[in-house]
Amino acid sequence: MSEIESASLDPLERHLLNDFQRNLPLEPRPFQRMAEQLGTSEARVLECLSLLNRDGRISRVGPVFRPHSVGTSTLAAMAVPGERLDEVALLINQYPEVNHNYEREHRINLWFVVTAPDEPHLQEILKDMELRTGLPVISLPMLEAYHIDLGFSLQWGVGNSAAEASHPSARQAPFHPGPGPGLGKAEGAIESEFDRRLVATIQQGLPLVAQPFAEIAEQVGLDERQVIRRLREWLANRVISRLGVIVRHRRLGYRANAMVVWDVPDDRVSQLGRCMGQYDFVTLCYQRPRRLPEWRYNLFCMIHGRDRDTVIEKVEWLVQQCDLQDIPHRLLFSRRSFKQRGAHYQRSDAADHGTVASRQRELASC
């Protein structure tokens, strides 16, 4: 399917995509509450969200879990010869543990996120990838997070790159950097079998029905009030960083996607990461380890724009605002998206996690 421009969206679709990326009402009929706020019907909101989901403009309506509050994950990368890139990308896509997989403009050209229930399982997956591809995998787990959200204003009505880039602003909501894995998990993290069942049920989104939490409760064997209460607790404790509409930026006209990486002195990483993370055009900002000699960069941020020039202008603006003139950096623009979906933290059935070999039966469903 071709790219779908924002011009094709009606006013209701625009409001749903922009205004409900977070703060989904946690009550028995959330879509009815949204409809009341938008002056329409619950049925129309559900119909609209279902259409946006089918068309690929949203990936789901559901939670974004803070990294390492559920299981563990890493950003992984490989330097793949050009003639093998499609073959290797397809193989990496087959792992249920991989939720994002991109080709980026760099010698190290394949970048993907691997999520697993625990660290031994994660390491098993990475070793299996190396064995099957014959290529080394660079693992870059998060050390500290300065902003992780993946939501931002879609800036409806901005008609040119210069205007979009020249009006960045600090986030209106309070900025709360999240800890990395070395700083401990959030209070109220995943603690029980009920929690694990709930994660498995909602990780790919809420059912688009009038009473989604009642349907979820039936699947996990509890009642609607318990499900809503637990989600509220996870939001309060930042186990869930946001709950709402998860948009696909490229399908909405934001075709330029750059992972900007910086080689920052260790004693300045937190200061500069916090500075970058406060601006509304930065959707991700975090510290990851260097892997010398292959990889020298330790601070990462993600910037989206309608075109390359917009992203470059935003990076130049960031350099000025955060005093980054002396910091070496690279823009790794995305060339192709091979896979993009919500992370699978828990199995959605009663089967145990097993070994890599026993779980290859799942590949056909990916």
Side-chain angles (χ1 to χ4, degrees), residues 189-198 222 230 234 346:
I190 309 309
E191 297 170 343
S192 66
E193 182 57 31
F194 159 63
D195 287 343
R196 288 185 282 274
R197 292 201 307 270
L198 181 54
L222 289 160
R230 195 59 173 143
W234 286 347
Q346 298 288 334

Side-chain angles (χ1 to χ4, degrees), residues 30 53 190 204 307:
N53 192 20
I190 309 309
Q204 292 304 299
D307 53 48

Side-chain angles (χ1 to χ4, degrees), residues 148-350:
I148 293 183
D149 189 88
L150 287 174
F152 65 97
S153 172
L154 292 169
Q155 298 176 312
W156 306 125
V158 174
N160 60 76
S161 300
E164 183 183 342
S166 63
H167 293 90
S169 60
R171 303 182 195 280
Q172 294 181 358
F175 175 55
H176 300 295
L183 300 179
K185 291 189 176 183
E187 204 175 307
I190 309 309
E191 297 170 343
S192 66
E193 182 57 31
F194 159 63
D195 287 343
R196 288 185 282 274
R197 292 201 307 270
L198 181 54
V199 170
T201 304
I202 68 173
Q203 62 192 355
Q204 292 304 299
L206 308 182
L208 295 178
V209 298
Q211 293 184 263
F213 303 118
E215 184 168 312
I216 290 165
E218 184 175 352
Q219 292 181 50
V220 300
L222 289 160
D223 65 44
E224 182 181 54
R225 289 173 300 174
Q226 289 173 301
V227 169
I228 291 174
R229 182 170 64 247
R230 195 59 173 143
L231 293 178
R232 284 177 177 157
E233 291 170 352
W234 286 347
L235 281 164
N237 294 323
R238 294 186 297 111
V239 172
I240 292 176
S241 60
R242 69 181 173 100
L243 179 66
V245 177
I246 313 301
V247 303
R248 293 186 186 273
H249 303 107
R250 292 181 66 87
R251 299 302 302 275
L252 294 170
Y254 287 78
R255 294 195 179 103
N257 160 339
M259 184 175 72
V260 190
V261 294
W262 313 76
D263 182 7
V264 178
D266 292 341
D267 60 356
R268 295 183 64 192
V269 174
S270 293
Q271 169 204 347
L272 296 180
R274 289 170 190 270
C275 182
M276 293 182 194
Q278 69 182 310
Y279 292 105
D280 60 4
F281 59 83
V282 175
T283 57
L284 298 170
C285 187
Y286 38 63
Q287 180 187 8
R288 296 187 183 274
R290 296 181 176 89
R291 299 299 192 200
L292 299 175
E294 294 86 0
W295 187 254
R296 63 184 284 200
Y297 302 99
N298 60 342
L299 184 60
F300 293 61
C301 69
M302 188 66 65
I303 298 176
H304 295 76
R306 297 186 188 280
D307 53 48
R308 291 175 70 97
D309 288 345
T310 298
V311 173
I312 291 168
E313 289 167 15
K314 287 179 177 179
V315 173
E316 291 173 350
W317 194 91
L318 199 61
V319 167
Q320 296 301 318
Q321 295 301 310
C322 293
D323 193 21
L324 297 163
Q325 291 86 349
D326 62 332
I327 304 298
H329 68 279
R330 291 282 301 271
L331 279 71
L332 277 65
F333 278 97
S334 170
R335 283 183 174 149
R336 285 185 287 175
S337 173
F338 294 111
K339 188 175 186 180
Q340 183 183 4
R341 71 169 192 194
H344 280 192
Y345 297 97
Q346 298 288 334
R347 291 287 301 276
S348 58
D349 54 34

Side-chain angles (χ1 to χ4, degrees), residues 27 58 77 105 341:
E27 52 188 76
I58 67 174
E105 295 178 356
R341 71 169 192 194

Side-chain angles (χ1 to χ4, degrees), residues 76-97:
M78 305 174 78
V80 183
E83 67 275 11
R84 292 193 60 199
L85 189 58
D86 286 352
E87 164 214 337
V88 173
L90 179 60
L91 188 153
I92 296 300
N93 280 0
Q94 291 176 342
Y95 288 87
E97 294 83 358

